[in-house]
C-alpha cells in the first residue's frame, strides 16, 4: 500500500532488508525478535527505494557512473530516499527513529562504544550520521561536514551521483590509506553455501567504480554488482537489489 504498487514481499534469512528494483521484490529478514518499529523502519526504507530510486539511474552505463562506486551510491541514495519517504508519510518518522534506536541497542551497526574515527572512511561516517546521528556523535572536519550536508539535501539521483564523486575524491585525497580494493571480484564465492548465496545483503563496501574492476562490468544486469554479492533466486541479478549498507569501522 505504501509503495502504491503491487510489490512482492519476501521473508528470508537475510542480514538486513533489501529491495529488488527490477523485479519489485521487497526482502525482509526473518528475525524472530523483530519489533514493530524495526519492521516499520525496514519496510519504510525499502518502500522509499521502490518509490524514489530510479531503475534507469541505478543501471546507468559505467561511463555515466564513472567515479561512483555502487556502495557509495547506496549510502547517499539511502539518505535521499529516507528523507523523501518520511516527507511523504510523516507517520513513519517516529517508528523509523525508534527502529534505529533498537538496531543500535542490538549492535546491528557493530560495537559503537570505542570507534577509532581516524580509521573510518568518510562514506561510513556519513552512513552512520545519516541513519543514527541522533544516537552517536560522529566527528567530522569542516570539509567532511560540507559533504555530509550535501548528502542530506540531494533531490535527484543525479545529485546523488555528484555528491558521491565529491566524497570519493575527498577520500582518495585525504584517506588514501583506508582505501582497499576488494580481494574478491563480484562473483559468487564458490565456498559460500547456497543459503549465503541467496542473501543479497552480504555486501562488500569498496571504493572502486565499475570501470576500475579487473573483470568486466555487468551488461544489462547479467553480473552481480560490487555492492551486493549475493542475490535471491527471484532476482535476475544482484545488481538489482538495494540493501542498506552496514558501516565498516
Amino acid at each position: 500500500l505504501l509503495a502504491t504498487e503491487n510489490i512482492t514481499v519476501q521473508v528470508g534469512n537475510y542480514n538486513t532488508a533489501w529491495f529488488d528494483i527490477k523485479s519489485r521484490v521487497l526482502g525482509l529478514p526473518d528475525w524472530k525478535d523483530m519489533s514493530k518499529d524495526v519492521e516499520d523502519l525496514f519496510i519504510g526504507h525499502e518502500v522509499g527505494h521502490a518509490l524514489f530510486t530510479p531503475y534507469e539511474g541505478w543501471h546507468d552505463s559505467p561511463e555515466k557512473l564513472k567515479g561512483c562506486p555502487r556502495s557509495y551510491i547506496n549510502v547517499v541514495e539511502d539518505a535521499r530516499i529516507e528523507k523523501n519517504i518520511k516527507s511523504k508519510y510523516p507517520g513513519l518518522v517516529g517508528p523509523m527513529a525508534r527502529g534505529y534506536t533498537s538496531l543500535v541497542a542490538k549492535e546491528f551497526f557493530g560495537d559503537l562504544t570505542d570507534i577509532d574515527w581516524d580509521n573510518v572512511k568518510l562514506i561510513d561516517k556519513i552512513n552512520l550520521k545519516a541513519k543514527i546521528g541522533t544516537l552517536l556523535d560522529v566527528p567530522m572536519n569542516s570539509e567532511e561536514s560540507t559533504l555530509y550536508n550535501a548528502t542530506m539535501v540531494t533531490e535527484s539521483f543525479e545529485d546523488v551521483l555528484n555528491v558521491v564523486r565529491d566524497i570519493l575524491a575527498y577520500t582518495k585525497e585525504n584517506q588514501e590509506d583506508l582505501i582497499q580494493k576488494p580481494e574478491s571480484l563480484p562473483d559468487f564465492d564458490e565456498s559460500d553455501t547456497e543459503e549465503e548465496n541467496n542473501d543479497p545483503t552480504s555486501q562488500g563496501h569498496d571504493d572502486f567504480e565499475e570501470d576500475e574492476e579487473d573483470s568486466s562490468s555487468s551488461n544489462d544486469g547479467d553480473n552481480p554488482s560490487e555492492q551486493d554479492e549475493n542475490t535471491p533466486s527471484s532476482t535476475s541479478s544482484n545488481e538489482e537489489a538495494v540493501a542498506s549498507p552496514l558501516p565498516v569501522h
Side-chain angles (χ1 to χ4, degrees):
L1 182 61
L2 292 174
T4 68
E5 62 175 288
N6 292 324
I7 64 174
T8 300
V9 178
Q10 181 174 302
V11 179
N13 186 25
Y14 311 127
N15 292 330
T16 186
W18 52 270
F19 182 70
D20 186 300
I21 297 174
K22 183 176 182 180
S23 65
R24 316 305 287 173
V25 176
L26 190 159
L28 292 174
D30 185 15
W31 294 351
K32 290 180 172 47
D33 60 345
M34 185 187 299
S35 69
K36 184 65 167 62
D37 285 331
V38 170
E39 183 179 21
D40 286 345
L41 163 61
F42 282 156
I43 291 174
H45 179 97
E46 301 310 332
V47 167
H49 282 301
L51 290 174
F52 304 113
T53 298
Y55 175 82
E56 293 78 10
W58 188 254
H59 287 275
D60 273 342
S61 66
E63 290 74 21
K64 289 185 179 180
L65 294 179
K66 185 174 177 59
C68 299
R70 201 170 291 275
S71 57
Y72 280 47
I73 296 174
N74 204 1
V75 169
V76 180
E77 177 68 348
D78 273 1
R80 185 179 77 93
I81 61 96
E82 284 204 355
K83 175 186 65 177
N84 289 347
I85 196 68
K86 287 187 284 189
S87 176
K88 184 175 180 66
Y89 299 112
L92 285 172
V93 173
M96 290 180 76
R98 292 192 297 271
Y100 275 126
T101 299
S102 178
L103 290 179
V104 169
K106 293 178 179 295
E107 296 192 350
F108 178 82
F109 294 93
D111 183 359
L112 305 177
T113 58
D114 189 23
I115 299 175
D116 181 3
W117 291 107
D118 290 336
N119 288 313
V120 179
K121 289 181 295 188
L122 175 57
I123 192 64
D124 292 312
K125 286 184 177 182
I126 290 174
N127 190 38
L128 286 168
K129 190 172 180 65
K131 289 182 169 69
I132 57 173
T134 60
L135 307 171
L136 178 69
D137 182 19
V138 181
M140 292 184 174
N141 61 37
S142 60
E143 192 171 355
E144 291 173 339
S145 293
T146 296
L147 291 169
Y148 168 77
N149 292 334
T151 295
M152 302 307 292
V153 297
T154 53
E155 294 292 338
S156 67
F157 193 76
E158 185 61 34
D159 291 342
V160 169
L161 298 183
N162 289 334
V163 172
V164 164
R165 292 186 181 101
D166 290 342
I167 293 171
L168 182 59
Y170 172 88
T171 304
K172 288 181 175 179
E173 181 177 350
N174 298 279
Q175 299 179 314
E176 185 177 7
D177 56 324
L178 300 182
I179 295 179
Q180 293 184 348
K181 191 164 184 175
E183 293 181 2
S184 59
L185 296 174
D187 295 318
F188 285 130
D189 184 342
E190 294 179 357
S191 65
D192 286 347
T193 64
E194 181 179 355
E195 183 178 77
E196 288 170 334
N197 279 335
N198 284 336
D199 184 358
T201 68
S202 298
Q203 51 192 270
H205 200 44
D206 57 79
D207 311 271
F208 288 80
E209 309 93 290
E210 288 191 21
D211 60 336
E212 288 184 355
E213 293 293 338
D214 292 334
S215 64
S216 59
S217 300
S218 62
N219 296 315
D220 297 327
D222 291 334
N223 293 329
S225 74
E226 59 213 88
Q227 167 66 13
D228 300 306
E229 295 176 357
N230 299 303
T231 308
S233 58
S234 62
T235 63
S236 60
S237 160
N238 44 351
E239 189 171 88
E240 324 292 352
V242 183
S244 298
L246 304 180
V248 178
H249 59 261

